[in-house]
Amino acid sequence: MSATSPDPRQGAPAFIPLEANPQLMTSLIHKLGVSSALGVHDVYSLTDPDMLAFVPRPALALLLVFPVSAEYESQRMAEDSLMEEYAGKGDGEPVVWWKQTIKNACGMMGLLHAVSNGPARDFIEEGSTLGNLLQQSIPLPPRERSALLERTGALATAHREAASAGDTAPPAAEDDIDLHYVCFSRGTDGGLWELDGRRKGPIRRGDLDKDEDVLSAKGLAMGALKFLAREGGDLRFSAVALAASMD
């Protein structure tokens, strides 16, 4: 990574890009150790109440998938220039965050951030791949957390199997992909957090009341809708949410 590019270094490990497919993502998080009580759901609209009503509530996390445009990169660099590199570790963190050092792993990073924060963390089974990863990650500073992810073979295997099972033929792991995932989740401090492994750290976007989630009017206004407004004219995106399973 250079001073201006947050992307993984040349020669870094690489994953096959993950399709934003709720069924595939649900299968992946269950395989990694998330209880079958949770699942990933399509979010068909961020502004239409009737469409939002299809998502079980509360929504525990929201993942946006969007193209990395010149406008986005300009906004990211401007905001990141005012931030210190995150150095948080330990049980006192309001959110747990990983720096992305694996190429094309943003889908996995988004899911990790979604299931590891807020109430979702209570649904991770003890002794599972995710349970062990989280237990080992929390005491570590960001650089060591990233190294741990790179060494976790079970994570790479589960990701490869899921990414290869999508509806469309997957690109190669080494391909340059312009789509990126960002996660919005509630922290233990009641804040709405933007979690993205390409940033300098987790970003607190505001306060959520106890009865508000990431898809509430306030949660969307502070999070996803404000994020998309900064994108300017390019509003190509898709979204999925982590919430109770429909079964």
Side-chain angles (χ1 to χ4, degrees), residues 134-234:
L134 198 57
Q135 183 180 37
Q136 293 170 44
S137 291
I138 286 173
L140 300 176
R143 188 180 296 274
E144 292 179 34
R145 281 184 187 172
S146 296
L148 177 63
L149 283 186
E150 292 184 21
R151 296 194 306 269
T152 304
L155 193 74
T157 299
H159 182 279
R160 183 174 61 250
E161 291 172 354
S164 301
D167 290 336
T168 56
E174 297 295 342
D175 285 358
D176 291 325
I177 305 298
D178 72 344
L179 290 176
H180 187 60
Y181 286 72
V182 63
C183 175
F184 293 93
S185 181
R186 175 192 283 272
T188 56
D189 60 350
L192 177 72
W193 288 81
E194 183 178 322
L195 303 163
D196 180 350
R198 288 182 85 239
R199 304 301 296 266
K200 283 187 173 180
I203 304 171
R204 196 179 194 278
R205 294 302 187 188
D207 294 306
L208 288 172
D209 293 335
K210 286 186 177 180
D211 61 344
E212 292 173 324
D213 65 5
V214 294
L215 291 182
S216 65
K218 187 177 178 183
L220 287 169
M222 293 189 303
L225 292 178
K226 191 169 185 179
F227 179 95
L228 293 169
R230 293 197 303 269
E231 277 285 82
D234 190 352

Side-chain angles (χ1 to χ4, degrees), residues 3-26:
T4 55
S5 173
D7 296 320
R9 68 189 188 282
Q10 283 291 107
F15 280 3
I16 300 169
L18 189 66
E19 191 178 284
N21 176 320
Q23 186 175 356
L24 179 155
M25 289 177 154
T26 297

Side-chain angles (χ1 to χ4, degrees), residues 20-175:
N21 176 320
Q23 186 175 356
L24 179 155
M25 289 177 154
T26 297
S27 175
L28 175 56
I29 62 173
H30 290 169
K31 183 174 293 187
L32 290 172
V34 175
S35 163
S36 59
L38 293 186
V40 179
H41 307 271
D42 271 316
V43 179
Y44 296 107
S45 171
L46 297 175
T47 54
D48 184 335
D50 291 337
M51 292 289 102
L52 285 168
F54 284 107
V55 182
R57 306 295 283 275
L60 305 184
L62 174 66
L63 291 176
L64 284 184
V65 192
F66 62 96
V68 178
S69 63
E71 177 71 21
Y72 170 76
E73 285 294 81
S74 174
Q75 295 282 351
R76 177 192 61 77
M77 286 190 290
E79 187 171 34
D80 277 8
S81 70
L82 305 175
M83 294 170 57
E84 297 290 332
E85 287 284 350
Y86 185 67
K89 62 178 181 177
D91 291 324
E93 292 178 290
V95 289
V96 59
W97 175 83
W98 287 270
K99 184 77 173 175
Q100 182 181 338
T101 58
I102 302 170
K103 183 174 181 176
N104 292 332
C106 58
M108 174 61 87
M109 302 300 293
L111 285 175
L112 279 180
H113 287 136
V115 300
S116 300
N117 286 295
R121 188 187 296 184
D122 296 335
F123 291 86
I124 295 176
E125 293 160 359
E126 192 174 341
S128 65
T129 298
L130 270 178
N132 292 335
L133 178 65
L134 198 57
Q135 183 180 37
Q136 293 170 44
S137 291
I138 286 173
L140 300 176
R143 188 180 296 274
E144 292 179 34
R145 281 184 187 172
S146 296
L148 177 63
L149 283 186
E150 292 184 21
R151 296 194 306 269
T152 304
L155 193 74
T157 299
H159 182 279
R160 183 174 61 250
E161 291 172 354
S164 301
D167 290 336
T168 56
E174 297 295 342
D175 285 358

